[in-house]
Amino acid sequence: MTARTRAAAALATVLLLAGCGPSGEGWPGPSQRDFPPAPHQQVPESAPRTATDPAPVADLARSGWLRDTSRRTDIPRRVLAAYAGASLRVAEMEPGCGLGWNTLAGIGAVESVHGSYLGARAETDGTVRPPIIGIPLDGSEGVMEILDTDDGTLDGDAEWDRAVGPMQFIPTTWETYAQDGNLDGRADPHQIDDAALTAALYLCRTGGDVTTDDGWTTALASYNRSVTYAHEVAELAESYRLTAPA
């Protein structure tokens, strides 16, 4: 089974619980659950740069690495550039975190099959079209209950919140952590650079040092509290790391 096939299967098993958001009151912490150990984190080689001004995250990783890794992992190159660049940028923003592109790729695989769920795709500008909108978080079986928090601004639902975009953020988390990864002056959860960088910052701010088991599992539990989810992400992250060129 390829990593892409595993990602599709993972998405099917955890979609009802997917979405970056609060872990919930009374839920046991990672140390009390059967969470996997942290996968090894891989930060790609950065592209040569001469300018001192910030660059869009999609321009940060070496082009040859992106080409070879995309071919080996079957991750679309435009999406991979966002994962890789986000790990490089967050290394500057949160130097004690150690987040690798492969964990972001594992999350992106499970959340939206790298922005391709139900026929969507990341276009050349990084915007995922059509937009990926999750199910209503209405408290039905296997689903958190989150009443609308943004008047439907992000998710189009004025009754319940829904997770949005290729990295599946709920509106309150997006409002708190949103980043402008492509430097176009706005943060858009449907734009893969913005979404990947926001996910990276969220993981680092909630988990601290994600190269440790405690840090990684705390970060993943904050992103999605399903133990099955954490195992799927960890398996994919390790698979991507081993498949990518050193």
Side-chain angles (χ1 to χ4, degrees):
M1 183 183 291
T2 66
R4 188 176 182 85
T5 302
R6 286 199 303 274
L11 181 68
T13 63
V14 302
L15 184 60
L16 293 182
L17 292 173
C20 178
S23 57
E25 290 185 15
W27 185 74
S31 64
Q32 299 170 268
R33 305 284 295 232
D34 185 25
F35 270 71
H40 293 85
Q41 303 298 306
Q42 184 182 67
V43 178
E45 182 181 345
S46 58
R49 289 180 58 194
T50 56
T52 57
D53 293 335
V57 297
D59 295 341
L60 295 181
R62 185 168 54 85
S63 61
W65 182 91
L66 289 172
R67 179 195 63 238
D68 294 343
T69 302
S70 177
R71 177 175 53 82
R72 294 184 186 187
T73 61
D74 202 28
I75 299 173
R77 180 167 173 165
R78 182 63 186 82
V79 177
L80 178 63
Y83 298 151
S87 70
L88 288 163
R89 177 60 50 76
V90 83
E92 302 170 356
M93 299 169 67
E94 301 285 332
C97 177
L99 180 71
W101 72 273
N102 52 314
T103 283
L104 292 172
I107 291 171
V110 176
E111 295 289 1
S112 69
V113 196
H114 307 304
S116 69
Y117 184 60
L118 292 180
R121 65 184 293 269
E123 299 186 352
T124 55
D125 67 354
T127 303
V128 174
R129 295 187 176 93
I132 298 173
I133 307 291
I135 61 173
L137 299 175
D138 58 5
S140 55
E141 185 176 357
V143 180
M144 291 186 296
E145 179 178 324
I146 305 179
L147 290 170
D148 173 66
T149 60
D150 69 337
D151 294 325
T153 301
L154 280 184
D155 55 19
D157 189 335
E159 182 177 5
W160 305 101
D161 269 352
R162 299 172 182 244
V164 299
M167 303 301 277
Q168 289 287 279
F169 283 94
I170 63 171
T172 51
T173 306
W174 182 259
E175 181 181 3
T176 301
Y177 292 93
Q179 298 294 302
D180 178 13
N182 65 343
L183 303 182
D184 68 348
R186 66 190 187 98
D188 179 0
H190 301 289
Q191 204 281 336
I192 189 60
D193 303 324
D194 296 357
L197 184 58
T198 301
L201 183 65
Y202 180 77
L203 292 166
C204 288
R205 292 276 172 86
T206 56
D209 182 356
V210 301
T211 65
T212 67
D213 290 348
D214 284 347
W216 191 86
T217 54
T218 298
L220 260 289
S222 298
Y223 207 100
N224 186 306
R225 65 189 189 215
S226 165
V227 177
T228 299
Y229 177 91
H231 278 274
E232 295 288 359
V233 170
E235 180 184 352
L236 286 161
E238 196 64 23
S239 174
Y240 288 139
R241 181 187 70 86
L242 293 173
T243 305

